Amino acid sequence: NNNNNNNSMNNTENNSKQNKNYFEGKRVIELGAGTGLVSIVAALLGASTVAITDRDIQGRDQGLLDLIRQNCCINLPPDMLLSLNPNSTRTNVNSSLNQLVSNLDEFDDRTGSVSVVPLSWGDSLPDQLSVQAPFDIVLGSDLIYETVVFDKLIQCLIQVSSVDTEIYIAYKNRFKHSTRTFRRLVAQRFDVTVLTPPFSIPKTCTHDNSKEDFSDMYILKLKLRPESTV
């Protein structure tokens, strides 16, 4: 029994080291980033470049993009917070957040190895993304609930990927019909694997006096088929 326990602990430690090094040197893009948390973690784990994207439809969601920029300023170290403009730097990350936010327009959406880029699925990739594509890793979470955008999301996945790209989409199976629809559509262009996360997910989590059920969480791993490349 002791040997089994030791083997289990060694396997867990090895998996932990592999997961920690997974992003090192990789080019990463996150779709529908929201707060940008996933991308920030990828950057901190050594990704060479991280493109954080979310929609900006006629400027209506600009506040969301600014929130992502603020989160990058707060959570990323100074060497990742250098603008491409050599005359402007964000070295004083601990300065007043209000001052940081007021100066956001001076930057060209680049923060060292991290970029914040507006992206609407189904449109042509902006130049800042097209020069980086295809990416090594594509990340997304909580994207597959509105069936009307599935075709555009799949088109975007193809645009940012190659046959070597690894795509991970995490989701909670809130709307089973939508989930089935997405999996059927995406399987026409991608090989699909349902992954079991390498960590324990609590069945429930209590926060703000409410309880959320995490028992129905999934991760899809997608690989673009050669015949689907554009």
Side-chain angles (χ1 to χ4, degrees):
N1 289 339
N2 287 337
N3 288 337
N4 290 337
N5 290 337
N6 289 337
N7 289 336
S8 177
M9 292 177 63
N10 289 336
N11 289 335
T12 300
E13 183 177 354
N14 290 335
N15 288 336
S16 178
K17 291 179 179 178
Q18 291 174 0
N19 293 336
K20 184 177 181 180
N21 296 331
Y22 177 72
F23 290 101
E24 191 167 339
K26 302 290 181 60
R27 293 172 298 113
V28 178
I29 184 172
E30 183 183 6
L31 306 180
T35 63
L37 173 61
V38 173
S39 293
I40 288 170
V41 172
L44 292 173
L45 290 177
S48 60
T49 62
V50 180
I52 312 176
T53 72
D54 214 315
R55 64 181 183 171
D56 177 25
I57 302 174
Q58 298 179 348
R60 286 180 295 174
D61 291 315
Q62 189 63 35
L64 176 60
L65 298 178
D66 281 344
L67 172 64
I68 296 173
R69 295 186 185 99
Q70 290 177 40
N71 289 339
C72 289
C73 290
I74 294 169
N75 293 286
L76 291 174
D79 61 334
M80 293 183 185
L81 296 174
L82 296 178
S83 169
L84 287 184
N85 180 352
N87 297 321
S88 301
T89 61
R90 287 173 172 168
T91 55
N92 189 7
V93 178
N94 293 322
S95 64
S96 167
L97 178 58
N98 290 332
Q99 182 177 352
L100 268 175
V101 174
S102 68
N103 292 332
L104 282 174
D105 289 339
E106 296 180 10
F107 304 99
D108 58 354
D109 280 335
R110 285 289 303 191
T111 52
S113 60
V114 178
S115 56
V116 180
V117 185
L119 175 63
S120 295
W121 303 337
D123 293 348
S124 298
L125 291 181
D127 291 343
Q128 193 171 344
L129 296 179
S130 62
V131 297
Q132 299 183 62
F135 292 83
D136 299 312
I137 301 172
V138 179
L139 303 173
S141 59
D142 211 15
L143 305 180
I144 54 176
Y145 53 90
E146 290 189 80
T147 57
V148 293
V149 302
F150 286 172
D151 287 337
K152 293 181 178 180
L153 172 57
I154 292 170
Q155 179 183 342
C156 184
L157 291 172
I158 294 172
Q159 289 174 314
V160 298
S161 304
S162 72
V163 294
D164 297 318
T165 302
E166 294 186 338
I167 302 171
Y168 298 95
I169 298 180
Y171 66 97
K172 180 176 171 62
N173 198 15
R174 297 184 182 90
F175 310 104
K176 292 179 171 54
H177 171 71
S178 297
T179 301
R180 288 194 297 267
T181 300
F182 178 79
R183 290 178 61 173
R184 175 176 55 81
L185 292 174
V186 79
Q188 297 172 11
R189 310 297 293 270
F190 293 83
D191 292 326
V192 181
T193 305
V194 180
L195 298 180
T196 302
F199 49 82
S200 297
I201 298 178
K203 290 186 177 180
T204 59
C205 179
T206 301
H207 58 92
D208 297 333
N209 298 319
S210 63
K211 183 175 289 187
E212 185 165 355
D213 183 8
F214 286 103
S215 62
D216 211 12
M217 299 286 293
Y218 297 88
I219 297 176
L220 297 181
K221 181 179 180 180
L222 310 178
K223 293 284 287 187
L224 185 66
R225 296 200 194 100
E227 64 270 22
S228 298
T229 56
V230 293

